[in-house]
Amino acid sequence: MFEAGPSTHWRALLVTIVAAAGCSTSVDADKPKTAAVHGVVLYNDAPMADATVTFHPKGGTRAAFAKTGPDGTFQLTTFDANDGAMPGDYIVTVSKVTDENEGPPSTDIAAPPRTPKMKSWLPAKYGDPKTSGLTFSVKADAENNATLKLVD
């Protein structure tokens, strides 16, 4: 009868680690290259916090997304956090919508569900790729800084 000793366990662990490392490398190698994209959203010259920024590709590549911080700044993500966007031309949309109901939803299952009272903080045109009027070209191996100025 065969008994697994400590060296057998180490060999099995080593094989698992090597196999996992090999898999992740091939997946990363297949991923298109991205370029860092940083920016700021200004609405009527004031930073817009908690807005969603979306870069919609004009050439059929993958979209990139970000959420603005308290100072209106953002860093795009396509595949991995803050990895940027693939080089190319984009139509940009910006939106910020919140539920204006007071307090958290009730946990009482007998209570009727509350209807969300949604508030848009930006003009609707900026949330639609057909009407936003915002564009940006992401360059490979370059500083990509986008200042998105929104007005009423």
Side-chain angles (χ1 to χ4, degrees):
M1 184 167 175
F2 176 78
E3 285 189 38
S7 64
T8 304
H9 292 296
W10 282 111
R11 274 188 246 140
L13 179 61
L14 181 61
V15 168
T16 303
I17 291 170
V18 169
C23 290
S24 66
T25 302
S26 65
V27 170
D28 289 344
D30 294 341
K31 227 186 277 183
K33 298 290 183 195
T34 57
V37 180
H38 306 269
V40 63
V41 174
L42 302 172
Y43 177 49
N44 293 329
D45 293 322
M48 177 54 67
D50 300 317
T52 300
V53 178
T54 306
F55 277 47
H56 305 269
K58 288 184 178 180
T61 59
R62 190 172 177 148
F65 307 90
K67 186 94 165 176
T68 60
D71 58 356
T73 61
F74 65 89
Q75 189 170 349
L76 287 181
T77 294
T78 298
F79 300 103
D80 301 314
N82 303 323
D83 66 349
M86 289 183 275
D89 295 324
Y90 292 83
I91 295 171
V92 181
T93 58
V94 183
S95 61
K96 180 179 177 180
V97 179
T98 58
D99 183 352
E100 294 298 298
N101 282 320
E102 294 290 324
S106 173
T107 57
D108 180 1
I109 60 171
R114 80 173 177 201
T115 303
K117 181 181 170 187
M118 304 311 286
K119 176 183 178 180
S120 179
W121 293 81
L122 299 168
K125 72 177 185 176
Y126 293 116
D128 186 340
K130 295 176 185 168
T131 59
S132 78
L134 303 169
T135 60
F136 192 83
S137 291
V138 175
K139 308 290 184 206
D141 303 321
E143 283 290 318
N144 292 288
N145 294 307
T147 298
L148 306 174
K149 292 185 178 186
L150 316 179
V151 294
D152 284 327

